[in-house]
Amino acid sequence: MTLSASSCQLFEGLDMPANFSVIPERRLVYMKFFSDAHISECHATIAKVMAHPEWQPSFAILVDNSELTSYIGDFSEMQVFCRELEESRVFEGACVPVAYFAPSDLGFGIGRMAQQMLSASLPFEIYVFRDEMSALACLGQRELHLSALFAATS
């Protein structure tokens, strides 16, 4: 599978434990993974973000793993995902700040795995935090809590 705007069609109709919001006035994408997530949810969510008309490759990304209860995926699947993102050349020339909000050990571990793999081959500056205030601050957001960010941008 090659990541492109049309890739999201492969996942339409699936009940996936992931969602996202593009917040153009903040040059920010918010992605949330919850419940029992699989690496394919990340593929599908990124494809949908890329298809969003207001998204730009230079937007910062905030990944919320606060409600993740399990994760199905392994190192080789993450490698495939990284390679597909790299081959898409969507992020070429961009420097993308990415912050993971991951209070649990599971979410934190997934964030660190992404940090190690994605930062090695893509122009991502990835940080992993256990508290939302640090994740928001890392991306230059003035709010201390996600609820305040949503209230300010809705």
Side-chain angles (χ1 to χ4, degrees), residues 100-106 108 128-132:
Y100 278 79
F101 165 46
S104 71
D105 289 344
L106 173 66
F108 194 85
V128 185
F129 301 97
R130 292 208 184 254
D131 66 282
E132 59 192 296

Side-chain angles (χ1 to χ4, degrees), residues 73-143:
D74 61 23
F75 186 76
S76 63
E77 289 173 308
M78 181 63 88
Q79 285 180 313
V80 169
F81 176 63
C82 291
R83 187 171 52 253
E84 289 172 356
L85 274 178
E86 188 176 8
E87 289 171 357
S88 76
R89 298 186 183 272
V90 169
F91 296 101
E92 197 168 86
C95 181
V96 182
V98 180
Y100 278 79
F101 165 46
S104 71
D105 289 344
L106 173 66
F108 194 85
I110 292 167
R112 290 285 291 136
M113 181 173 68
Q115 181 183 45
Q116 295 293 319
M117 297 187 74
L118 294 172
S119 294
S121 60
L122 293 161
F124 293 165
E125 292 181 27
I126 300 176
Y127 304 92
V128 185
F129 301 97
R130 292 208 184 254
D131 66 282
E132 59 192 296
M133 182 174 65
S134 297
L136 288 163
C138 173
L139 299 178
Q141 304 304 309
R142 60 187 167 274
E143 290 80 14

